[in-house]
Amino acid sequence: MHILEVNNLKKVYTTRFGSHKVQALSNVSFSVEKGEYVAIMGESGSGKTTLLNILAALDKPTSGEVLLNGKNLAEISEREISAFRRDNLGFVFQDFNLLDTFSIQDNIFLPLVLAGESHLEMNKRLLPIARQLGITPIINKYPYEVSGGEKQRAAVARALITRPQLVLADEPTGALDSKATASLLRLFTEINEQGQTILMVTHSTQAAAHAKRVLFIKDGEVFHQLYKTSLSTEEMYQKISDTLTTIATGGERHA
Amino acid sequence: MPRFFYQKLALNNLKKNSQTYRAYLLTCIGTICMYFIMHAISVNEALNQMSGGTELKVLLFFGVIVIAIFSTIFLLYTNSFLIKRRKKEFGLFNILGMEKRHLAKIMFWETLFIALLGLTVGIISGMILSKLMFLVLLKLIAFNVPLAFEIPFSSISTSVALFGGIFALSLFYNLGQIQLAKPIELLRSEQMGEREPKTKWLLILIGAISLGAGYYIALITESPLQAFSRFFLAVLLVMVGTYSLFTAGSVGILKLLRSNKEFYYQPRHFTAISGLLFRMKQNAVGLANICILSTAVLVTLSTTFALYVGVEDQLRNRFPRSIEIKVYDVENVDVGTIRSQAFSILEQHDLQPQESVDFRDLTITVAQEGDSFLVGREYFSDFSPNVGFLSFLNLADYQRIVNKPLSLEEDEIILCSDNSYPYETLTVLERTFTVKDHSAPFTGHLDSFNNYSVIVKDLEILEELRQAQAKVYGESASSFTHYLGFELDSSPKQELEIYEEMRASIGAPPISIKSRAAERDSFYMLYGGLFFIGIFLGTLFVMGTVLIIYYKQITEGYDDQKRFAIMQQVGMGQEEVKKTIRSQVLMVFFLPLVTAGIHILFAFKMITRLLMVFNLTNVQLFAWCCLGTFVVFALFYGLVYSLTARVYYKIVSV
């Protein structure tokens, strides 16, 4: 079953007086199955972030449609969009986006509080997630008191606590050192194995090598895709590298 | 390097930061303009031509000093805010290859441009407005003779010197800030992690105690002189209380709220409490400043306003009769001759003395201790709150005045005290009298507070008292005085003429003559002048308050920008975010105003007592003045809020 369906997505940015038009996405189509772990790769300016913003319903496409669980995002009213985002999507950002006025625990609770959950329920959900992510000891600290890796794990906990249909991760390893990166990627694989659907945007080959499928975007289009199937992460890494070289040297389209 | 490189860069920087610099420039212009006006008026030659002009000049000079001090504080404060915001910009310049001396050059030009613009516009608008303000002042002090007003050169030079100095100081401060910092620190200075504030219980305790003590003093103080001596203590205590409760108390309360899980984990409370907790840490001192300033504005404006509006009341309290003649040496001066001379002057003007009061009395300086009045130097200093006067009259004089047959025993007295004396007896100079009547309707020749007119049986008792106090006071003992006072049914102008004639014919020592009409001018001069300064300082304070608020809003806006974005990503609706931030800001904004209102409420009684020292006894008038000032101030405050809130939203919703 498709959990996410993206059809002929196009996004054109226009400057205020319409004199300049920049095409960020020209024609993007793909779909994500339930329980999949998909990485989207592309260079800076390839339209990755635009795509993610549209998937997150933070931006609207010029044309085309996005279906989440069969529901067209464009049909959700402005009023319901926040609640929809809160209930169905979990976000992990490159720079964590934790609020420094909240403790780690309260940061994780934030979406639940907004959803009006009871304090008891929040605690019940937090315990297993915190244990799995290994953040139980720092739960009462503040973001500025913990390391980058811990911050990112807290952000993952915040994304997971609402039990979302889809976790959207935007360069999640971008601000982490190699050790923290490795541990986060292991964590993503682990979560995915428990059934969580993940869509990750990255230009880190290492990160993408952990995904089950990698989509390459170039000039606003899906240029190519790779399936990991039975490959090891190292083999996948090699394959992605090759593909990137091909793209960079101007290879033909394969998607 | 291109010509005028630094100058162009400096101008460009100012333009780029116009959102913050516009308010700074306006403040510069405003303070310079106000300083100029006050200075120009205070040194004006024209004031020397009026009687009491020198005193007024002293008063105005005091205003000049206060404006100078506050301008310095405000402008330096604002500058420090501006430079904090711009550190990142300078860090970038530094990293792009500019050395610190180049940055210094840019800053120098920026300051110079601001200074030139501020001084030019400020002084020119000061020149235009000072003439108008001078007319307002003349109107307030009820001076009707048109006076020429020239703009003194010294006003221009002192304004340039003072504000030039302030600009130089801010430049040095900024250079110091840049000099000390490393480029990477400059780039990052705004995003340093913030620690959660700790609850400082000791500070809360100190704050609560001093605020309580300040309020308590304000509430229990009954006597005006006491109010005078305790007022500054009370102000100090309340200030300490305000600062410590704003800083520590707010954090304490918010933490308490946060520890209540059921309450805390609700959408509305969750973000508000944690946001306020951190915001209070940065802003508590600023908010306490706003609160103290607002209170100062309200007290200054309402008291000077009340004193000015109530000037006729005060005049009547201080001078109960149109003309008062006091004969100090009754042994050697024939009171009868003086009286007939005075009345014949009235006859020449076709006037009769009305409500005439004519008596001989003995006034003794005393220190009151309950129902006993101590006589002697050792019992009081000049400003003791219990020092006062007893004015002794004999029954015969009193009967004539009130036109009623009365009788008194040897040890009985009648006390004229409008019921403020609760005791049954009165002991003075080793004699104890029984008070037969506490509230005789009679105004002697003394002010109302701490003084009593005492009616005794006859002249023998008066003489005994005189001899007894003469033993104690020796050289400086009192002797009998004869008092003659009456109302006149005439115009103030005629009253003045009569007063001048009487002074010429009988007004030589040991006789003193006072006229209400003659004192009216000096009253208007004093209270009009005070009101004028009150308006000026009030405006200045309001300007300062507004400025602090404005910059506070902007800072918070930039802080909230990121928070706003994150919360939206996590699933908070745009409307919800706005609502949360609004309620948060609203609370922070109006907390100082509400606290200032509470301060005023508690201070009310004490200030009325203080005003009694200035012979203003009309409590209702003062209450209206307070209410009026508060409403006007609150309206202004609200206006500023809505204006700055708009700027704030613009920043936040980027």
Side-chain angles (χ1 to χ4, degrees), chain A residues 82 85-86 91 97 99 101-102 105-106 110 113 119 142 144, chain B residues 194-196 258 264-265 267 274 563 566 568-569 571 573:
Chain A
S82 300
R85 202 181 295 144
R86 195 167 58 215
F91 295 94
N97 278 1
L99 293 165
T101 56
F102 286 118
Q105 171 179 283
D106 287 351
L110 184 63
V113 174
H119 179 233
Y142 280 82
Y144 52 82
Chain B
E194 284 179 59
R195 237 143 244 296
E196 189 198 44
R258 198 177 57 173
Y264 177 51
Y265 289 111
S274 62
R563 208 168 293 151
I566 295 177
Q568 256 181 305
Q569 285 166 336

PDB file of all heavy atoms in Angstrom, chain A residues 82 85-86 91 97 99 101-102 105-106 110 113 119 142 144, chain B residues 194-196 258 264-265 267 274 563 566 568-569 571 573:
ATOM      1  N   SER A  82      -2.215  22.128  10.564  1.00  0.00           N
ATOM      2  CA  SER A  82      -1.287  21.959  11.681  1.00  0.00           C
ATOM      3  C   SER A  82      -1.563  20.646  12.400  1.00  0.00           C
ATOM      4  O   SER A  82      -0.648  19.894  12.718  1.00  0.00           O
ATOM      5  CB  SER A  82      -1.426  23.106  12.657  1.00  0.00           C
ATOM      6  OG  SER A  82      -1.150  24.296  12.013  1.00  0.00           O
ATOM      7  N   ARG A  85      -0.432  17.742  10.273  1.00  0.00           N
ATOM      8  CA  ARG A  85       1.009  17.598  10.292  1.00  0.00           C
ATOM      9  C   ARG A  85       1.436  16.937  11.601  1.00  0.00           C
ATOM     10  O   ARG A  85       2.256  16.038  11.635  1.00  0.00           O
ATOM     11  CB  ARG A  85       1.625  18.991  10.177  1.00  0.00           C
ATOM     12  CG  ARG A  85       3.029  19.005   9.682  1.00  0.00           C
ATOM     13  CD  ARG A  85       3.538  20.425   9.636  1.00  0.00           C
ATOM     14  NE  ARG A  85       2.836  21.247   8.672  1.00  0.00           N
ATOM     15  CZ  ARG A  85       2.558  22.541   8.864  1.00  0.00           C
ATOM     16  NH1 ARG A  85       2.897  23.127   9.992  1.00  0.00           N
ATOM     17  NH2 ARG A  85       1.925  23.219   7.946  1.00  0.00           N
ATOM     18  N   ARG A  86       0.808  17.415  12.690  1.00  0.00           N
ATOM     19  CA  ARG A  86       1.132  16.927  14.020  1.00  0.00           C
ATOM     20  C   ARG A  86       0.821  15.431  14.153  1.00  0.00           C
ATOM     21  O   ARG A  86       1.595  14.673  14.719  1.00  0.00           O
ATOM     22  CB  ARG A  86       0.302  17.732  15.007  1.00  0.00           C
ATOM     23  CG  ARG A  86       0.728  17.643  16.421  1.00  0.00           C
ATOM     24  CD  ARG A  86       0.027  18.722  17.198  1.00  0.00           C
ATOM     25  NE  ARG A  86      -1.424  18.630  17.114  1.00  0.00           N
ATOM     26  CZ  ARG A  86      -2.251  19.669  17.086  1.00  0.00           C
ATOM     27  NH1 ARG A  86      -1.780  20.885  17.118  1.00  0.00           N
ATOM     28  NH2 ARG A  86      -3.547  19.493  17.037  1.00  0.00           N
ATOM     29  N   PHE A  91       9.145  15.082  12.305  1.00  0.00           N
ATOM     30  CA  PHE A  91      10.246  15.768  11.621  1.00  0.00           C
ATOM     31  C   PHE A  91      11.555  15.634  12.370  1.00  0.00           C
ATOM     32  O   PHE A  91      11.609  15.740  13.582  1.00  0.00           O
ATOM     33  CB  PHE A  91       9.932  17.265  11.498  1.00  0.00           C
ATOM     34  CG  PHE A  91       8.755  17.535  10.638  1.00  0.00           C
ATOM     35  CD1 PHE A  91       7.488  17.670  11.187  1.00  0.00           C
ATOM     36  CD2 PHE A  91       8.906  17.671   9.268  1.00  0.00           C
ATOM     37  CE1 PHE A  91       6.398  17.915  10.390  1.00  0.00           C
ATOM     38  CE2 PHE A  91       7.812  17.918   8.467  1.00  0.00           C
ATOM     39  CZ  PHE A  91       6.553  18.047   9.021  1.00  0.00           C
ATOM     40  N   ASN A  97      16.542  21.789  15.775  1.00  0.00           N
ATOM     41  CA  ASN A  97      15.347  22.582  16.053  1.00  0.00           C
ATOM     42  C   ASN A  97      14.679  22.237  17.373  1.00  0.00           C
ATOM     43  O   ASN A  97      13.468  22.120  17.461  1.00  0.00           O
ATOM     44  CB  ASN A  97      14.328  22.444  14.924  1.00  0.00           C
ATOM     45  CG  ASN A  97      14.662  23.356  13.772  1.00  0.00           C
ATOM     46  OD1 ASN A  97      15.666  24.071  13.844  1.00  0.00           O
ATOM     47  ND2 ASN A  97      13.872  23.336  12.746  1.00  0.00           N
ATOM     48  N   LEU A  99      13.751  23.531  21.106  1.00  0.00           N
ATOM     49  CA  LEU A  99      13.544  24.843  21.730  1.00  0.00           C
ATOM     50  C   LEU A  99      14.363  24.895  23.020  1.00  0.00           C
ATOM     51  O   LEU A  99      14.231  24.028  23.876  1.00  0.00           O
ATOM     52  CB  LEU A  99      12.070  25.044  22.053  1.00  0.00           C
ATOM     53  CG  LEU A  99      11.172  25.166  20.833  1.00  0.00           C
ATOM     54  CD1 LEU A  99       9.723  25.004  21.211  1.00  0.00           C
ATOM     55  CD2 LEU A  99      11.396  26.496  20.151  1.00  0.00           C
ATOM     56  N   THR A 101      14.148  26.767  25.442  1.00  0.00           N
ATOM     57  CA  THR A 101      13.449  27.133  26.676  1.00  0.00           C
ATOM     58  C   THR A 101      12.798  25.905  27.318  1.00  0.00           C
ATOM     59  O   THR A 101      12.223  26.013  28.386  1.00  0.00           O
ATOM     60  CB  THR A 101      12.358  28.178  26.402  1.00  0.00           C
ATOM     61  OG1 THR A 101      11.487  27.649  25.406  1.00  0.00           O
ATOM     62  CG2 THR A 101      12.946  29.464  25.919  1.00  0.00           C
ATOM     63  N   PHE A 102      12.869  24.782  26.647  1.00  0.00           N
ATOM     64  CA  PHE A 102      12.283  23.558  27.196  1.00  0.00           C
ATOM     65  C   PHE A 102      13.373  22.555  27.536  1.00  0.00           C
ATOM     66  O   PHE A 102      14.394  22.474  26.841  1.00  0.00           O
ATOM     67  CB  PHE A 102      11.365  22.904  26.169  1.00  0.00           C
ATOM     68  CG  PHE A 102      10.063  23.611  25.974  1.00  0.00           C
ATOM     69  CD1 PHE A 102       9.733  24.140  24.743  1.00  0.00           C
ATOM     70  CD2 PHE A 102       9.158  23.733  27.027  1.00  0.00           C
ATOM     71  CE1 PHE A 102       8.524  24.788  24.552  1.00  0.00           C
ATOM     72  CE2 PHE A 102       7.954  24.378  26.829  1.00  0.00           C
ATOM     73  CZ  PHE A 102       7.633  24.904  25.602  1.00  0.00           C
ATOM     74  N   GLN A 105      12.902  16.607  27.842  1.00  0.00           N
ATOM     75  CA  GLN A 105      11.618  15.922  28.005  1.00  0.00           C
ATOM     76  C   GLN A 105      10.460  16.765  27.472  1.00  0.00           C
ATOM     77  O   GLN A 105       9.607  16.281  26.728  1.00  0.00           O
ATOM     78  CB  GLN A 105      11.390  15.617  29.488  1.00  0.00           C
ATOM     79  CG  GLN A 105       9.997  15.115  29.771  1.00  0.00           C
ATOM     80  CD  GLN A 105       9.813  14.801  31.244  1.00  0.00           C
ATOM     81  OE1 GLN A 105      10.269  13.784  31.731  1.00  0.00           O
ATOM     82  NE2 GLN A 105       9.172  15.693  31.952  1.00  0.00           N
ATOM     83  N   ASP A 106      10.485  18.057  27.808  1.00  0.00           N
ATOM     84  CA  ASP A 106       9.385  18.915  27.364  1.00  0.00           C
ATOM     85  C   ASP A 106       9.425  19.142  25.863  1.00  0.00           C
ATOM     86  O   ASP A 106       8.389  19.292  25.214  1.00  0.00           O
ATOM     87  CB  ASP A 106       9.427  20.249  28.107  1.00  0.00           C
ATOM     88  CG  ASP A 106       8.985  20.090  29.560  1.00  0.00           C
ATOM     89  OD1 ASP A 106       8.508  18.991  29.885  1.00  0.00           O
ATOM     90  OD2 ASP A 106       9.128  21.044  30.333  1.00  0.00           O
ATOM     91  N   LEU A 110       6.339  18.277  23.379  1.00  0.00           N
ATOM     92  CA  LEU A 110       5.686  19.409  22.697  1.00  0.00           C
ATOM     93  C   LEU A 110       4.548  19.025  21.747  1.00  0.00           C
ATOM     94  O   LEU A 110       3.424  19.522  21.897  1.00  0.00           O
ATOM     95  CB  LEU A 110       6.750  20.262  21.990  1.00  0.00           C
ATOM     96  CG  LEU A 110       6.256  21.540  21.316  1.00  0.00           C
ATOM     97  CD1 LEU A 110       5.666  22.501  22.340  1.00  0.00           C
ATOM     98  CD2 LEU A 110       7.379  22.234  20.579  1.00  0.00           C
ATOM     99  N   VAL A 113       1.600  17.756  23.746  1.00  0.00           N
ATOM    100  CA  VAL A 113       0.910  18.821  24.481  1.00  0.00           C
ATOM    101  C   VAL A 113       0.006  19.587  23.527  1.00  0.00           C
ATOM    102  O   VAL A 113      -1.143  19.887  23.838  1.00  0.00           O
ATOM    103  CB  VAL A 113       1.924  19.774  25.140  1.00  0.00           C
ATOM    104  CG1 VAL A 113       1.204  20.957  25.762  1.00  0.00           C
ATOM    105  CG2 VAL A 113       2.740  19.056  26.199  1.00  0.00           C
ATOM    106  N   HIS A 119      -1.104  14.132  30.621  1.00  0.00           N
ATOM    107  CA  HIS A 119       0.272  14.007  31.076  1.00  0.00           C
ATOM    108  C   HIS A 119       0.645  12.542  31.297  1.00  0.00           C
ATOM    109  O   HIS A 119       1.763  12.123  31.057  1.00  0.00           O
ATOM    110  CB  HIS A 119       0.450  14.817  32.364  1.00  0.00           C
ATOM    111  CG  HIS A 119       1.826  14.728  32.918  1.00  0.00           C
ATOM    112  ND1 HIS A 119       2.087  14.376  34.211  1.00  0.00           N
ATOM    113  CD2 HIS A 119       3.016  14.937  32.329  1.00  0.00           C
ATOM    114  CE1 HIS A 119       3.392  14.363  34.393  1.00  0.00           C
ATOM    115  NE2 HIS A 119       3.980  14.709  33.282  1.00  0.00           N
ATOM    116  N   TYR A 142      18.731  20.518  29.576  1.00  0.00           N
ATOM    117  CA  TYR A 142      18.310  21.452  28.546  1.00  0.00           C
ATOM    118  C   TYR A 142      19.172  21.266  27.293  1.00  0.00           C
ATOM    119  O   TYR A 142      20.306  20.811  27.386  1.00  0.00           O
ATOM    120  CB  TYR A 142      18.415  22.884  29.066  1.00  0.00           C
ATOM    121  CG  TYR A 142      17.225  23.220  29.924  1.00  0.00           C
ATOM    122  CD1 TYR A 142      17.184  22.842  31.260  1.00  0.00           C
ATOM    123  CD2 TYR A 142      16.124  23.866  29.381  1.00  0.00           C
ATOM    124  CE1 TYR A 142      16.076  23.112  32.030  1.00  0.00           C
ATOM    125  CE2 TYR A 142      15.012  24.145  30.141  1.00  0.00           C
ATOM    126  CZ  TYR A 142      14.980  23.765  31.472  1.00  0.00           C
ATOM    127  OH  TYR A 142      13.887  24.030  32.211  1.00  0.00           O
ATOM    128  N   TYR A 144      21.065  23.031  25.514  1.00  0.00           N
ATOM    129  CA  TYR A 144      22.429  23.556  25.497  1.00  0.00           C
ATOM    130  C   TYR A 144      23.362  22.774  26.414  1.00  0.00           C
ATOM    131  O   TYR A 144      24.560  23.001  26.435  1.00  0.00           O
ATOM    132  CB  TYR A 144      22.433  25.038  25.888  1.00  0.00           C
ATOM    133  CG  TYR A 144      21.711  25.330  27.178  1.00  0.00           C
ATOM    134  CD1 TYR A 144      22.334  25.140  28.410  1.00  0.00           C
ATOM    135  CD2 TYR A 144      20.382  25.777  27.161  1.00  0.00           C
ATOM    136  CE1 TYR A 144      21.663  25.380  29.581  1.00  0.00           C
ATOM    137  CE2 TYR A 144      19.721  26.004  28.329  1.00  0.00           C
ATOM    138  CZ  TYR A 144      20.358  25.813  29.546  1.00  0.00           C
ATOM    139  OH  TYR A 144      19.689  26.043  30.710  1.00  0.00           O
TER     140      TYR A 144
ATOM    141  N   GLU B 194      21.367  29.632  26.858  1.00  0.00           N
ATOM    142  CA  GLU B 194      20.924  30.266  28.082  1.00  0.00           C
ATOM    143  C   GLU B 194      20.624  29.229  29.133  1.00  0.00           C
ATOM    144  O   GLU B 194      19.990  28.225  28.864  1.00  0.00           O
ATOM    145  CB  GLU B 194      19.654  31.051  27.811  1.00  0.00           C
ATOM    146  CG  GLU B 194      19.922  32.318  27.103  1.00  0.00           C
ATOM    147  CD  GLU B 194      18.631  33.017  26.861  1.00  0.00           C
ATOM    148  OE1 GLU B 194      17.950  33.303  27.845  1.00  0.00           O
ATOM    149  OE2 GLU B 194      18.288  33.220  25.690  1.00  0.00           O
ATOM    150  N   ARG B 195      21.083  29.516  30.291  1.00  0.00           N
ATOM    151  CA  ARG B 195      20.798  28.639  31.386  1.00  0.00           C
ATOM    152  C   ARG B 195      19.413  28.929  31.941  1.00  0.00           C
ATOM    153  O   ARG B 195      18.942  30.057  31.901  1.00  0.00           O
ATOM    154  CB  ARG B 195      21.822  28.880  32.489  1.00  0.00           C
ATOM    155  CG  ARG B 195      22.567  27.650  32.853  1.00  0.00           C
ATOM    156  CD  ARG B 195      24.010  27.944  33.176  1.00  0.00           C
ATOM    157  NE  ARG B 195      24.861  27.286  32.186  1.00  0.00           N
ATOM    158  CZ  ARG B 195      24.932  25.963  32.030  1.00  0.00           C
ATOM    159  NH1 ARG B 195      24.225  25.140  32.767  1.00  0.00           N
ATOM    160  NH2 ARG B 195      25.723  25.445  31.127  1.00  0.00           N
ATOM    161  N   GLU B 196      18.798  27.891  32.435  1.00  0.00           N
ATOM    162  CA  GLU B 196      17.501  28.111  33.062  1.00  0.00           C
ATOM    163  C   GLU B 196      17.720  28.908  34.349  1.00  0.00           C
ATOM    164  O   GLU B 196      18.634  28.611  35.110  1.00  0.00           O
ATOM    165  CB  GLU B 196      16.861  26.770  33.405  1.00  0.00           C
ATOM    166  CG  GLU B 196      15.444  26.939  33.848  1.00  0.00           C
ATOM    167  CD  GLU B 196      14.953  25.712  34.586  1.00  0.00           C
ATOM    168  OE1 GLU B 196      15.689  25.188  35.430  1.00  0.00           O
ATOM    169  OE2 GLU B 196      13.846  25.297  34.308  1.00  0.00           O
ATOM    170  N   ARG B 258       5.093  25.492  36.960  1.00  0.00           N
ATOM    171  CA  ARG B 258       5.592  24.447  36.100  1.00  0.00           C
ATOM    172  C   ARG B 258       5.618  23.100  36.829  1.00  0.00           C
ATOM    173  O   ARG B 258       5.481  22.046  36.211  1.00  0.00           O
ATOM    174  CB  ARG B 258       6.997  24.799  35.613  1.00  0.00           C
ATOM    175  CG  ARG B 258       7.384  23.987  34.392  1.00  0.00           C
ATOM    176  CD  ARG B 258       8.727  24.381  33.877  1.00  0.00           C
ATOM    177  NE  ARG B 258       9.741  24.246  34.908  1.00  0.00           N
ATOM    178  CZ  ARG B 258      11.037  24.408  34.655  1.00  0.00           C
ATOM    179  NH1 ARG B 258      11.434  24.725  33.450  1.00  0.00           N
ATOM    180  NH2 ARG B 258      11.911  24.276  35.610  1.00  0.00           N
ATOM    181  N   TYR B 264       0.662  22.466  33.858  1.00  0.00           N
ATOM    182  CA  TYR B 264       1.736  22.849  32.945  1.00  0.00           C
ATOM    183  C   TYR B 264       1.548  22.229  31.555  1.00  0.00           C
ATOM    184  O   TYR B 264       1.687  22.907  30.547  1.00  0.00           O
ATOM    185  CB  TYR B 264       3.063  22.426  33.565  1.00  0.00           C
ATOM    186  CG  TYR B 264       4.286  22.688  32.724  1.00  0.00           C
ATOM    187  CD1 TYR B 264       4.513  23.947  32.179  1.00  0.00           C
ATOM    188  CD2 TYR B 264       5.222  21.687  32.502  1.00  0.00           C
ATOM    189  CE1 TYR B 264       5.644  24.190  31.432  1.00  0.00           C
ATOM    190  CE2 TYR B 264       6.356  21.929  31.753  1.00  0.00           C
ATOM    191  CZ  TYR B 264       6.562  23.179  31.213  1.00  0.00           C
ATOM    192  OH  TYR B 264       7.677  23.416  30.473  1.00  0.00           O
ATOM    193  N   TYR B 265       1.205  20.929  31.530  1.00  0.00           N
ATOM    194  CA  TYR B 265       1.129  20.259  30.226  1.00  0.00           C
ATOM    195  C   TYR B 265      -0.213  20.475  29.539  1.00  0.00           C
ATOM    196  O   TYR B 265      -0.911  19.544  29.202  1.00  0.00           O
ATOM    197  CB  TYR B 265       1.438  18.771  30.364  1.00  0.00           C
ATOM    198  CG  TYR B 265       2.897  18.520  30.656  1.00  0.00           C
ATOM    199  CD1 TYR B 265       3.309  18.051  31.889  1.00  0.00           C
ATOM    200  CD2 TYR B 265       3.852  18.788  29.694  1.00  0.00           C
ATOM    201  CE1 TYR B 265       4.649  17.851  32.162  1.00  0.00           C
ATOM    202  CE2 TYR B 265       5.195  18.592  29.948  1.00  0.00           C
ATOM    203  CZ  TYR B 265       5.597  18.123  31.180  1.00  0.00           C
ATOM    204  OH  TYR B 265       6.922  17.931  31.445  1.00  0.00           O
ATOM    205  N   PRO B 267      -1.859  22.930  26.328  1.00  0.00           N
ATOM    206  CA  PRO B 267      -1.318  23.710  25.198  1.00  0.00           C
ATOM    207  C   PRO B 267      -1.089  25.185  25.526  1.00  0.00           C
ATOM    208  O   PRO B 267      -0.048  25.733  25.200  1.00  0.00           O
ATOM    209  CB  PRO B 267      -2.389  23.544  24.120  1.00  0.00           C
ATOM    210  CG  PRO B 267      -3.063  22.262  24.446  1.00  0.00           C
ATOM    211  CD  PRO B 267      -2.986  22.089  25.925  1.00  0.00           C
ATOM    212  N   SER B 274       7.034  28.309  30.000  1.00  0.00           N
ATOM    213  CA  SER B 274       8.473  28.134  29.766  1.00  0.00           C
ATOM    214  C   SER B 274       9.057  29.351  29.055  1.00  0.00           C
ATOM    215  O   SER B 274      10.167  29.779  29.354  1.00  0.00           O
ATOM    216  CB  SER B 274       8.723  26.874  28.961  1.00  0.00           C
ATOM    217  OG  SER B 274       8.115  26.989  27.706  1.00  0.00           O
ATOM    218  N   ARG B 563      11.775  30.391  17.324  1.00  0.00           N
ATOM    219  CA  ARG B 563      10.855  29.575  18.118  1.00  0.00           C
ATOM    220  C   ARG B 563       9.538  29.381  17.367  1.00  0.00           C
ATOM    221  O   ARG B 563       8.982  28.292  17.293  1.00  0.00           O
ATOM    222  CB  ARG B 563      10.592  30.324  19.431  1.00  0.00           C
ATOM    223  CG  ARG B 563      10.260  29.427  20.575  1.00  0.00           C
ATOM    224  CD  ARG B 563      10.306  30.193  21.860  1.00  0.00           C
ATOM    225  NE  ARG B 563      11.657  30.615  22.188  1.00  0.00           N
ATOM    226  CZ  ARG B 563      11.950  31.704  22.880  1.00  0.00           C
ATOM    227  NH1 ARG B 563      10.975  32.494  23.305  1.00  0.00           N
ATOM    228  NH2 ARG B 563      13.182  32.017  23.147  1.00  0.00           N
ATOM    229  N   ILE B 566       9.976  26.844  14.595  1.00  0.00           N
ATOM    230  CA  ILE B 566      10.083  25.466  15.076  1.00  0.00           C
ATOM    231  C   ILE B 566       8.716  24.934  15.499  1.00  0.00           C
ATOM    232  O   ILE B 566       8.304  23.837  15.132  1.00  0.00           O
ATOM    233  CB  ILE B 566      11.064  25.376  16.262  1.00  0.00           C
ATOM    234  CG1 ILE B 566      12.478  25.728  15.787  1.00  0.00           C
ATOM    235  CG2 ILE B 566      11.041  23.979  16.871  1.00  0.00           C
ATOM    236  CD1 ILE B 566      13.503  25.743  16.887  1.00  0.00           C
ATOM    237  N   GLN B 568       5.867  25.753  14.560  1.00  0.00           N
ATOM    238  CA  GLN B 568       5.009  25.472  13.415  1.00  0.00           C
ATOM    239  C   GLN B 568       5.370  24.149  12.764  1.00  0.00           C
ATOM    240  O   GLN B 568       4.512  23.383  12.372  1.00  0.00           O
ATOM    241  CB  GLN B 568       5.148  26.581  12.391  1.00  0.00           C
ATOM    242  CG  GLN B 568       3.966  27.506  12.405  1.00  0.00           C
ATOM    243  CD  GLN B 568       4.136  28.553  11.368  1.00  0.00           C
ATOM    244  OE1 GLN B 568       5.145  29.241  11.355  1.00  0.00           O
ATOM    245  NE2 GLN B 568       3.174  28.671  10.485  1.00  0.00           N
ATOM    246  N   GLN B 569       6.667  23.880  12.691  1.00  0.00           N
ATOM    247  CA  GLN B 569       7.092  22.621  12.096  1.00  0.00           C
ATOM    248  C   GLN B 569       6.644  21.440  12.931  1.00  0.00           C
ATOM    249  O   GLN B 569       6.348  20.374  12.415  1.00  0.00           O
ATOM    250  CB  GLN B 569       8.623  22.610  11.962  1.00  0.00           C
ATOM    251  CG  GLN B 569       9.103  23.482  10.819  1.00  0.00           C
ATOM    252  CD  GLN B 569      10.576  23.741  10.888  1.00  0.00           C
ATOM    253  OE1 GLN B 569      11.166  23.671  11.958  1.00  0.00           O
ATOM    254  NE2 GLN B 569      11.169  24.060   9.770  1.00  0.00           N
ATOM    255  N   GLY B 571       4.021  21.323  14.595  1.00  0.00           N
ATOM    256  CA  GLY B 571       2.594  21.090  14.482  1.00  0.00           C
ATOM    257  C   GLY B 571       1.707  22.078  15.200  1.00  0.00           C
ATOM    258  O   GLY B 571       0.563  21.785  15.524  1.00  0.00           O
ATOM    259  N   GLY B 573      -0.401  25.475  14.997  1.00  0.00           N
ATOM    260  CA  GLY B 573      -0.976  26.306  13.957  1.00  0.00           C
ATOM    261  C   GLY B 573      -0.491  27.731  14.074  1.00  0.00           C
ATOM    262  O   GLY B 573      -0.133  28.187  15.140  1.00  0.00           O
TER     263      GLY B 573
END
